[in-house]
Amino acid sequence: MASHTRGRNLTGLGALSLAAGAVLALNAAQPPAARAHSAPAGAVVVSLGSCPADGRMCGAPRRIAVLDGRALTLDALGSAVGPLDLALRTTGRLADVTVTDHQGRRIAGTVSADGTRWTSIAPLAADTRYTARLTVEGDDGRPQRRRARLDLRVPAAPEGERLTAELGPGGGTYGVGQPVTAELSHPVPATEPVARRTVERALHVSSEPYVEGSWYWVSPTTLHYRPRAYWPAHATVRVTSALDGVPVIGRLYGGPSAPLTLTIGDRIEAVTDVAAHTLTVLRDGQEIRSIPVTTGKEGYRTRGGVKVVLGKEATVRMRGDSIGIERGSSDFYDLKVRWATRVTWSGEYLHAAPWSLDAQGAENVSHGCTGMSTEDAAWLFGTLREGDPVRVVHGFGEEMTPFDNGYGDWNLSWPAWLRGSAFGPAADGAAGPDGGLHPAL
């Protein structure tokens, strides 16, 4: 709610309303020492600002609030949008600052080394009420403590487009290798690092039990999240977005995004040993079945590295021209295949191949898929689920790429993964913030 004081209407994107014990001093030209000296005895004086976090020039002056018990509601800040900054203008230091929104959620912030300034980690959301509680200690050696409260209201964001995130893969139960995804409605380019940090900070992923994890910018509109190692079996993963009302780039604000909850099933892994012509299935690290298989022959080698199950099809038609084999070629095929478990978007499956029973366990004769008996394929189809990791070792094919043909996220080492975050360390030759494809370290 905007209000008028002395003929001025102080409105703007970053405007805040002060109430509950705040008196606003609008004489911004008055020296800080003079303002502090003229404050009532025992009052706490703070200045408020909200400037861009990327160092750009701030277009709005700071405002002064004298917290002395009287209440007054006024628009306090101008049109700058950035983190909330509270600076103590009376003697002493900030012993504690707690800022919460109207739902009681605490806003993260940091206090300067000298204890005179508090800055929120992220910009405050539009159309939201906040309460700041300050505890100030005297700096003269006496145990003097003063407490003050400041109620703030950020007006609604201007009309226009909103940046939202579609969180994936959708509710359900998944394997321990399933990444979380976020598809943004508007691109956030690598040339806007502050905006990327704003988005990444607002996309919250939590798990029970807790595991360390991080986002990776695959492209300006796509992020993936994975833990350092696989998810724990039977974990619950919750994903939420706090973008709603948050300024992102210029006049673009965040909008509402639906939350996501998924559960993790048993730890099931499949390991294909190309040289040994076997596929071994593990549950919680213990072998539960070893299957004779055949993989890609020369010219069609099966990709190495870690893949993740993308889906399952009881029957799928496979044709050679889908991978560039011309009709009439001796390599061309057109088959209805049973019990197909998909691991790449380009058409690599684990599936029944009754036509190659003689080769299974002995030689590699396929066009890149992993073939096995119908009985083994049916069992594998019923055992694996979306998100289960499938690792190919001791092979001759190219490595699975991280992002362009399914979920190859696990082929990046943890240090390389962290460099894909907007908060990650910069390093020569590392995976860049736009998801450059780099081998694991």
Side-chain angles (χ1 to χ4, degrees), residues 184 187-203 215-223 243 248-249 419-423 432-435:
L184 305 181
V188 181
T191 53
E192 295 286 350
V194 173
R196 284 198 166 191
R197 288 194 289 271
T198 297
V199 170
E200 194 172 325
R201 187 184 291 114
L203 298 176
W215 288 102
Y216 189 108
W217 286 83
V218 176
S219 76
T221 57
T222 302
L223 294 88
L243 278 171
V248 180
I249 304 176
R419 289 195 290 269
S421 164
F423 296 95
D434 274 321

Side-chain angles (χ1 to χ4, degrees), residues 110-124:
T110 58
V111 177
S112 62
D114 63 2
T116 63
R117 195 181 213 95
W118 181 92
T119 306
S120 66
I121 297 296
L124 300 185

